[in-house]
Amino acid sequence: MRLGVIADDFTGATDIASFLVQNGMATVQVNGVPAEPLALEAEAIVVSLKSRSCAPEKAVADSLQALAWLQQQGCERFYFKYCSTFDSTAKGNIGPVTDALLAALGETQTIISPSLPVNGRTVYQGHLFVMDQLLSDSGMRHHPVTPMTDSNLLRLMEAQSEGKAGLINSQTLDRGADAVRHALAELKQQDVRYVVLDALNEQHLLTQGEALREMTLVTGGSGLAIGLARQWASSAHNSAQAQAAGTPQGERAVVLSGSCSNMTNRQVARYRDQAASLAVDVERALAQRDAYAIELCDWVAEHSGESLAPLLFATSEPDTLKRIQQQYGAEKSSEAVEQLFAAVVRELQQRGWQRFIVAGGETSGVVAQTLNIDAFHIGPVISPGVPWVKAVSQPISLALKSGNFGDENFFARAQQEFSL
């Protein structure tokens, strides 16, 4: 089996890759679209893009480039992966990319399945919930880039795409895969292009996987990968075998946190009681980045022999973050922190550091890019959607965490519960 996944951001790519290996598919992730085909030993290949919030035209172009490369790699089934909170605007990018992929593949129908029940993302009667709240009542309503003020996936999809949306509800899912296939066929006769699938629990995802195993293109969050992987995984592989290539290695470790999400704030607070920690000074990052980076690396080295790795964090509470953004500018301060982390990672790599635990999608992307990691094997799962990964071409292991993923003790568990 060759499954090709096109993911619209870095940690989202790692998220779905972890569910694929956890359910038996040996998986490799590549960062961006490689210039040439690669010799990869895997049943699934995940391409991570940065297309979630860029201009729709660029998102479409990048996604079509990824599709063409995956076809060169021999992929026969395709999966457009976006966030389980359907992060998008009225113009896209989920709708435009889906339309472009359907057209390129000569298909007229796909499904919309962002559900991830294990992390509290469910769909009922076509409405997306975050825990016990409608998406539009959750913190996503105030997202600075993709504010989600509507929870109805049918309306959201039709507003940013070219076709008609329909629904297969949870009652149909309860009747099994044959009922879902029959409903898909009926909706196709009605020219329904995008079929939203309810999902309230993992069994619904397994039913979806069975019903969709022959569909050329599916779209959704990472949860659907659970059902599909169990349908597609080779009998020669099991979860442990699939994860073996990404088993973490290396001796020196550091924790870097750039996310300001609620969960990351809690994780940083917990870890500060367990290990050496140091907050990043945004003003110094702006004024004297290189010298400041050396100073931070010296501090990390001083604490490298302790039981848990030292933490550098730019994570802030909402009020503090607002003040920093007002003082320095949101984009300028964010870029300064990212470039500082890049300088720190570059210096630590030269000093022999091989393990990096990172919180935040943008920060994770910067770290992987700085380390020149083009592809990596997906290893054992630390928390749902967050695995250890190991670079294909160099001895570097990473744990790359999206902002709200993981429990409060994530940073410590990543080190204590896995052989490093």
Side-chain angles (χ1 to χ4, degrees), residues 177-223:
D178 286 340
V180 174
R181 282 190 286 262
H182 180 71
L184 282 168
E186 285 189 337
L187 290 169
K188 193 168 189 177
Q189 289 180 346
Q190 300 168 27
D191 295 323
V192 171
R193 189 172 174 84
Y194 325 104
V195 182
V196 175
L197 299 178
D198 277 1
L200 303 176
N201 49 55
E202 186 169 301
Q203 182 55 53
H204 284 160
L205 297 178
L206 297 179
T207 300
Q208 289 182 21
E210 184 179 353
L212 302 172
R213 61 173 297 157
E214 301 301 325
M215 185 171 273
T216 301
L217 172 69
V218 299
T219 86
S222 58

Side-chain angles (χ1 to χ4, degrees), residues 386-410:
V386 192
W388 273 104
V389 302
K390 186 169 69 175
V392 169
S393 59
Q394 51 183 313
I396 292 178
S397 291
L398 306 98
L400 306 169
K401 187 193 81 70
S402 183
N404 279 314
F405 280 22
D407 58 19
E408 290 187 9
N409 202 41
F410 174 85

Side-chain angles (χ1 to χ4, degrees), residues 8-345:
D8 68 357
D9 86 334
F10 189 87
T11 51
T14 308
D15 173 18
I16 188 170
S18 73
F19 280 103
L20 291 170
V21 298
Q22 202 172 10
N23 289 279
M25 292 187 77
T27 303
V28 169
Q29 180 176 329
V30 297
N31 302 326
V33 182
E36 301 291 340
L38 302 176
L40 300 174
E41 294 290 332
E43 293 177 298
I45 306 170
V46 180
V47 178
S48 65
L49 302 178
K50 196 173 182 179
S51 59
R52 178 168 298 172
S53 55
C54 65
E57 297 79 11
K58 178 169 174 52
V60 166
D62 290 351
S63 300
L64 289 176
Q65 185 184 8
L67 174 65
W69 183 84
L70 288 166
Q71 289 173 317
Q72 288 181 330
Q73 292 289 136
C75 295
E76 300 171 348
R77 297 282 186 273
F78 302 93
Y79 193 134
F80 171 35
K81 195 275 176 191
Y82 40 78
C83 188
S84 60
T85 46
F86 207 77
D87 298 19
S88 57
T89 67
K91 295 183 178 179
N93 291 339
I94 294 173
V97 170
T98 300
D99 282 336
L101 295 175
L102 283 169
L105 292 166
E107 298 293 325
T108 59
Q109 187 184 72
T110 188
I111 57 90
I112 310 296
S113 181
S115 297
L116 184 58
V118 69
N119 279 351
R121 277 56 163 172
T122 56
V123 176
Y124 178 67
Q125 294 298 328
H127 289 75
L128 181 54
F129 286 78
V130 177
M131 307 304 287
D132 58 353
Q133 292 182 310
L134 284 165
L135 174 67
S136 54
D137 294 331
S138 74
M140 284 300 298
R141 183 178 184 85
H142 305 293
H143 193 284
V145 180
T146 54
M148 303 306 296
T149 58
D150 192 354
S151 306
N152 187 303
L153 292 170
L154 286 77
R155 283 198 300 262
L156 287 168
M157 198 63 194
E158 288 184 348
Q160 58 183 269
S161 59
E162 298 176 356
K164 184 166 64 173
L167 171 69
I168 295 179
N169 61 26
S170 59
Q171 292 92 331
T172 304
L173 268 294
D174 287 336
R175 296 204 302 270
D178 286 340
V180 174
R181 282 190 286 262
H182 180 71
L184 282 168
E186 285 189 337
L187 290 169
K188 193 168 189 177
Q189 289 180 346
Q190 300 168 27
D191 295 323
V192 171
R193 189 172 174 84
Y194 325 104
V195 182
V196 175
L197 299 178
D198 277 1
L200 303 176
N201 49 55
E202 186 169 301
Q203 182 55 53
H204 284 160
L205 297 178
L206 297 179
T207 300
Q208 289 182 21
E210 184 179 353
L212 302 172
R213 61 173 297 157
E214 301 301 325
M215 185 171 273
T216 301
L217 172 69
V218 299
T219 86
S222 58
L224 177 58
I226 298 171
L228 287 173
R230 295 191 192 181
Q231 293 293 315
W232 290 339
S234 164
S235 60
H237 288 85
N238 59 35
S239 177
Q241 290 173 321
Q243 295 176 30
T247 300
Q249 62 181 48
E251 297 179 357
R252 295 180 176 179
V254 66
V255 182
L256 305 172
S257 180
S259 169
C260 292
S261 71
N262 291 337
M263 177 53 75
T264 303
N265 268 288
R266 289 157 58 188
Q267 290 163 339
V268 167
R270 176 68 176 272
Y271 197 68
R272 291 178 69 183
D273 292 333
Q274 300 170 301
S277 62
L278 186 64
V280 168
D281 185 327
V282 176
E283 185 173 0
R284 294 194 65 190
L286 284 163
Q288 44 185 260
R289 183 192 67 200
D290 293 341
Y292 186 35
I294 296 297
E295 181 181 320
L296 293 176
C297 290
D298 290 341
W299 178 86
V300 169
E302 289 175 11
H303 296 277
S304 65
E306 298 172 7
S307 58
L308 289 172
L311 162 70
L312 295 176
F313 66 96
T315 299
S316 305
E317 295 288 346
D319 289 345
T320 304
L321 177 62
K322 184 177 180 179
R323 179 180 55 78
I324 291 172
Q325 291 178 338
Q326 288 176 338
Q327 184 174 358
Y328 301 109
E331 185 174 345
K332 188 175 181 180
S333 57
S334 177
E335 183 178 354
V337 169
E338 289 181 12
Q339 292 306 311
L340 175 67
F341 276 139
V344 167
V345 167

